Structure formats: structure tokens, C-alpha cells
Amino acid sequence: MIEIVGYQKLTLLDFPGYTAATFFTNGCNFRCPYCHNSSLVIAPSNNEIIDESEILDFLKKRVGLLDGICITGGEPLLQKDLIPFIKKVKELGYKVKLDTNGYLFSKLKEIIDLKLVDYIAMDIKNSLEKYHTTVGLNEIGIKNITSSIEYIKNSDIDYEFRTTIVKELHSHGDIRKIGELLKGSKRYFLQQFKKNEFNIVKEGYSSRNKEILEEFKRIVIDEYSIPCELRGID
């Protein structure tokens, strides 16, 4: 059974162009210190799992009212029953958006090859040399990240890349290195970090102001020809 620990019954923002419900899966393989979903990351065994039958019953009742679902986390690709769950959702006629950090490349590739998702949103945490510190790990197999980026870019599935910008972690130089990494991408979002004292993994992080984010955006567009927008700006 897929481990879903919460859901939002309606979102007009999470799945571009569609009305959707968002489902939060349990657990993550990263420890990003600025993460707002610390309850899904730090102590997943403490979370109550919602029975899959409840989720499917909800979706059956919303057929014709919702266009799709978003599967987020945590990291959804950790779920061993993710593919069977998505197949059941697709049988109900829903479109599926998957949020992922892209680290489990083989699982992501399988889902893309099976054409089980309609939209992928992959988080690009930082420039490659700062990836391990940004995700809170001592070391990381960076090839998994670059493989996922290239496979998504070359697939026929709609997608976006996105980076949550944290003042203490992301510089102008980092944005240029990310731009180089994402050359040829169809869509990139820079998201403003929002400080949340109640559910954050680690204190001590702050947001960039709008002016700096606009500078980052111009770098991505002007120097790397990547369509880029800001998201979640105060």
C-alpha cells in the first residue's frame, strides 16, 4: 500500500492548467535543512498512513470534478507501491503530476517509460558542487541527478524544473551553474523560500528579496535562453 499521510482536496496551482488534488507521501531520502515538510522527513514512522481505499473512494467521487492529481512528498519515488497506485488513478481517468527530487533515476525512468505520468516537476536543489550540503547529506551520487535531468528533458512528457532559493545557499554564481546544467530545458521556476518556524528541518535560513530573484531570472533567460518565471513571491 502506498504511504499517503495527507491530502489537499483541491488545488488550482499545483498542476498547471488543471484542477487537482494533492497527495503527500511519507519519507524522503534527502534532508534539506530548509524543508517545510519536516514531519515527512525526520520521523516518517510517526505519521499515520491513510488507507489507500479511502483515497480511491475520494477520487471516484470526484470524477468529472477534478482533472488530475499531484503526488508529492517527501519523495514519492521511495514508495514501492507508487506504480500500482498511479495505474489505479489513471484507470479512473485522471491526469497525474509527479513531484520528485530526481535522485532515484531508475525508478523515474521506469515511470517515464511506462508513460504513467503527464507532468513531472523536478527540484534542482543547487549547483552540482553544492548539492550535498543543500540536501543535508555528507555525499551524494550526483550522476543520479544529471541522468534524471537529461532523461526528463529528452522525454515526451511535459515537465518543469524548479529551485527554491535560499539566501544562505544560492548565489549568482550558483544560478549560472544551474543555468548551464539546464540548457535546453522548456520551463524553469525560481521559488522564493518562505520561513516557517513550526515545521522546518533546521533554523537559520532566510529568503532572497524580489529584486535579487529578478536578477537570477534575467541570468537564466538572457545567458542560457531558458524560459524562467518566479513563483511564490511576496
Side-chain angles (χ1 to χ4, degrees):
M1 181 178 74
I2 189 170
E3 293 189 4
I4 291 174
V5 295
Y7 62 100
Q8 181 181 351
K9 294 182 177 181
L10 175 64
T11 175
L12 303 178
L13 301 175
D14 290 348
F15 196 159
Y18 298 103
T19 59
T22 299
F23 297 93
F24 298 87
T25 61
N26 205 25
C28 189
N29 49 350
F30 286 174
R31 294 293 181 269
C32 304
Y34 55 92
C35 178
H36 284 170
N37 288 335
S38 64
S39 60
L40 304 180
V41 174
I42 301 302
S45 61
N46 293 338
N47 296 323
E48 183 177 351
I49 308 302
I50 301 172
D51 194 277
E52 186 178 289
S53 62
E54 177 183 331
I55 300 299
L56 293 174
D57 285 344
F58 165 77
L59 290 174
K60 288 173 184 176
K61 293 175 183 177
R62 294 300 190 277
V63 170
L65 301 175
L66 295 175
D67 301 315
I69 73 163
C70 306
I71 306 175
T72 189
E75 173 49 54
L77 293 179
L78 287 172
Q79 299 294 320
K80 62 182 179 61
D81 290 326
L82 178 62
I83 287 177
F85 175 73
I86 292 177
K87 286 181 177 178
K88 293 172 188 176
V89 172
K90 297 291 283 184
E91 287 173 0
L92 294 174
Y94 287 103
K95 294 183 178 297
V96 175
K97 173 182 177 259
L98 175 70
D99 292 350
T100 182
N101 61 37
Y103 195 62
L104 299 175
F105 170 66
S106 60
K107 187 71 171 289
L108 178 62
K109 180 180 182 298
E110 181 182 10
I111 285 177
I112 291 175
D113 290 347
L114 290 172
K115 300 188 183 302
L116 288 177
V117 294
D118 303 279
Y119 194 97
I120 296 172
M122 179 177 166
D123 292 314
I124 307 300
K125 299 297 185 178
N126 210 331
S127 57
L128 296 183
E129 54 263 53
K130 290 173 67 173
Y131 231 87
H132 68 288
T133 55
T134 307
V135 303
L137 301 177
N138 291 328
E139 57 183 47
I140 185 173
I142 207 68
K143 178 64 175 175
N144 294 351
I145 299 298
T146 56
S147 294
S148 289
I149 291 171
E150 290 305 310
Y151 209 76
I152 290 170
K153 283 167 56 175
N154 292 310
S155 75
D156 58 359
I157 293 173
D158 202 8
Y159 69 88
E160 68 181 57
F161 296 115
R162 60 195 187 183
T163 301
T164 298
I165 301 297
V166 181
K167 183 177 181 180
E168 291 75 15
L169 295 173
H170 300 94
S171 67
H172 289 73
D174 293 317
I175 297 304
R176 285 188 167 89
K177 290 172 182 175
I178 293 172
E180 189 69 35
L181 182 66
L182 298 182
K183 268 186 176 179
S185 300
K186 65 162 38 172
R187 193 178 296 114
Y188 181 46
F189 289 96
L190 298 171
Q191 302 177 159
Q192 187 178 48
F193 168 72
K194 305 286 187 181
K195 188 172 182 180
N196 180 342
E197 297 178 356
F198 300 103
N199 201 25
I200 197 168
V201 170
K202 185 179 179 181
E203 289 293 329
Y205 296 93
S206 55
S207 60
R208 287 284 194 183
N209 61 39
K210 184 179 179 181
E211 288 71 27
I212 296 296
L213 289 171
E214 289 285 358
E215 291 178 14
F216 287 176
K217 174 183 171 181
R218 294 317 316 174
I219 288 172
V220 173
I221 294 173
D222 294 345
E223 298 183 24
Y224 300 97
S225 302
I226 302 169
C228 181
E229 297 292 340
L230 303 184
R231 181 182 279 163
I233 305 301
D234 288 333

